[in-house]
Amino acid sequence: MYDLECCWFNCNGLYLYSATESKLTVDTSRGERLHINFDVTFPALPCSLVAVDTMDVSGEQHYDIRHDIIKKRIDNLGNVIESRKDGVGAPKIERPLQKHGGRLDHNEVYCGSCYGSEESDDQCCNSCEEVRDAYRKKGWALTNIEVIDQCKREGFVQRLKDEQGEGCNIHGFVDVNKVAGNFHFAPGKSLDQSFSFLQDLLNFQEENYNISHKINKLSFGKEFPGVINPLDGVEWIQEHTNGLTGMYQYFVKVVPTIYTDIRGRKINSNQFSVTEHFREAVGYPRPPPGVYFFYEFSPIKVDFTEENTSLLHFLTNICAIVGGIFTVAGIIDSFVYHGHRAIKKKMEIGKLG
């Protein structure tokens, strides 16, 4: 609809086309935030093993982000098995175990036990994830997950077993500060030190992680006409030449961009360039496996502005074209006329002779 409106406006305004002017300025913006949009497929990593983390130079860190992210379980052919929005908490169950030890009554509000890891008397752990976080903050190891009511109800161990051999598609966005930082997809965060026994049980060791991936879509901010995202459709396959996984790194240079359309509407967005590098998990310290995107922002901003050719400029071009036609026609006419006269003179001279 937008394109049709612009076409109608251009044609009826006697403007045959709109030109895009570009200008470079210093980016003086401060304190802004940015949405990084992504759609990445891991054909050999189960959804329960993949976590999304962000961190930046200002010290802001977010681990195992679950909001605004959707995970799709896929089989080895890429077919979707299940789609779920991450971070929606535990499934609804009948009469879960309360913090005080009894079962939930109909007139009670659910408050699950943190199994000794509470930071305050009124703290509740209503999901397996919340119990794990509470133990992680204490630095405790959760050695017997089968006794945790929340994890048992959610079928955490069974879910990991069910997802063995599957892949995962993750799409959504993360909200970050507009400063240098990184976001990454790290396998195995669901199996931290508190769940080391599960790693042995399910054979999920770091060297077994296959971080092959395909970036279906990656953008920094909103889309605008003509933007090219260089990582869209990029795929990398891990070769098991030595049986080791590693860290696949993308180094992204983000250029702030403002696009102003022909009607004055502005789109604040970004363009980016990228280089990539694979670092094997060898030596010490061993790099954590995963797919990492390290980004930094250029101090130069690009302004794109759509502009119509003015009516005066349009008329000037028409006059120049008409004048050029007459000039060329005059040259051709003169050439033909003088050529004809020369031939005619030679013919007359021949007759007299």
Side-chain angles (χ1 to χ4, degrees):
M1 186 65 183
Y2 173 77
D3 294 337
L4 291 177
E5 288 178 355
C6 286
C7 178
W8 181 90
F9 180 79
N10 290 341
C11 294
N12 286 272
L14 297 179
Y15 310 133
L16 299 182
Y17 63 92
S18 61
T20 302
E21 299 292 333
S22 60
K23 181 175 64 174
L24 299 180
T25 58
V26 176
D27 185 13
T28 58
S29 61
R30 295 181 301 170
E32 294 184 353
R33 297 190 69 83
L34 172 70
H35 279 185
I36 302 177
N37 311 292
F38 57 83
D39 183 344
V40 183
T41 299
F42 295 91
L45 280 179
C47 286
S48 294
L49 290 185
V50 185
V52 183
D53 306 329
T54 66
M55 56 187 67
D56 60 42
V57 294
S58 70
E60 183 172 315
Q61 301 179 4
H62 299 281
Y63 296 104
D64 201 5
I65 299 172
R66 293 172 175 265
H67 53 82
D68 302 313
I69 293 175
I70 295 177
K71 293 182 178 180
K72 296 179 181 178
R73 295 170 55 193
I74 58 175
D75 60 21
N76 57 356
L77 298 177
N79 301 315
V80 176
I81 301 172
E82 180 191 20
S83 176
R84 68 171 182 262
K85 187 171 183 179
D86 237 355
V88 185
K92 185 177 181 179
I93 46 92
E94 295 296 329
R95 304 197 67 199
L97 190 64
Q98 284 280 58
K99 183 176 181 178
H100 54 67
R103 290 289 174 180
L104 177 67
D105 289 331
H106 293 295
N107 58 347
E108 284 186 314
V109 176
Y110 178 49
C111 180
S113 172
C114 296
Y115 295 87
S117 60
E118 298 90 346
E119 293 182 343
S120 61
D121 292 338
D122 58 351
Q123 181 180 353
C124 302
C125 294
N126 294 341
S127 68
C128 183
E129 179 65 22
E130 292 179 2
V131 176
R132 291 164 53 202
D133 283 342
Y135 267 71
R136 190 183 298 119
K137 289 177 181 178
K138 289 282 189 179
W140 297 351
L142 192 58
T143 56
N144 191 357
I145 195 173
E146 294 298 334
V147 303
I148 305 300
D149 183 66
Q150 294 90 325
C151 298
K152 187 163 55 175
R153 288 188 283 103
E154 295 175 19
F156 181 77
V157 176
Q158 187 59 45
R159 187 167 72 244
L160 287 176
K161 291 179 180 179
D162 292 342
E163 292 184 9
Q164 278 191 281
E166 294 180 359
C168 187
N169 171 263
I170 308 177
H171 69 273
F173 68 88
V174 290
D175 183 65
V176 299
N177 289 317
K178 195 177 175 181
V179 296
N182 79 81
F183 73 99
H184 51 267
F185 300 90
K189 280 298 182 69
S190 295
L191 301 178
D192 52 22
Q193 69 268 16
S194 299
F195 284 78
S196 57
F197 75 99
L198 282 177
Q199 292 183 327
D200 297 330
L201 175 66
L202 302 176
N203 196 30
F204 287 140
Q205 300 294 333
E206 284 192 1
E207 59 269 18
N208 294 331
Y209 295 140
N210 184 339
I211 60 171
S212 299
H213 59 277
K214 180 179 180 180
I215 303 174
N216 305 303
K217 193 75 175 175
L218 179 68
S219 63
F220 290 77
K222 298 177 181 178
E223 299 280 338
F224 63 89
V227 65
I228 297 176
N229 297 316
L231 286 179
D232 289 359
V234 169
E235 185 173 11
W236 180 78
I237 304 298
Q238 177 176 322
E239 298 179 359
H240 289 279
T241 53
N242 54 9
L244 290 176
T245 185
M247 173 192 289
Y248 202 87
Q249 302 166 305
Y250 292 95
F251 299 94
V252 181
K253 188 74 170 183
V254 183
V255 181
T257 303
I258 296 179
Y259 188 93
T260 306
D261 68 16
I262 208 165
R263 298 195 170 187
R265 292 177 290 197
K266 290 187 177 182
I267 301 175
N268 290 286
S269 186
N270 299 274
Q271 303 176 87
F272 67 92
S273 60
V274 63
T275 57
E276 51 195 275
H277 174 70
F278 177 65
R279 181 183 172 191
E280 286 189 345
V282 294
Y284 184 83
R286 179 176 293 184
V291 179
Y292 289 72
F293 296 85
F294 298 91
Y295 55 87
E296 60 179 5
F297 291 86
S298 169
I300 302 299
K301 177 174 62 178
V302 180
D303 289 314
F304 288 119
T305 305
E306 279 187 358
E307 294 180 348
N308 274 324
T309 304
S310 66
L311 181 58
L312 180 60
H313 189 244
F314 175 75
L315 293 177
T316 302
N317 285 342
I318 292 296
C319 291
I321 293 171
V322 172
I325 292 174
F326 275 103
T327 301
V328 173
I331 294 173
I332 295 174
D333 179 70
S334 176
F335 177 77
V336 172
Y337 173 73
H338 289 291
H340 178 68
R341 285 191 62 184
I343 294 172
K344 189 176 181 181
K345 280 184 179 182
K346 287 184 180 181
M347 292 178 65
E348 290 176 354
I349 294 171
K351 287 180 180 181
L352 291 176

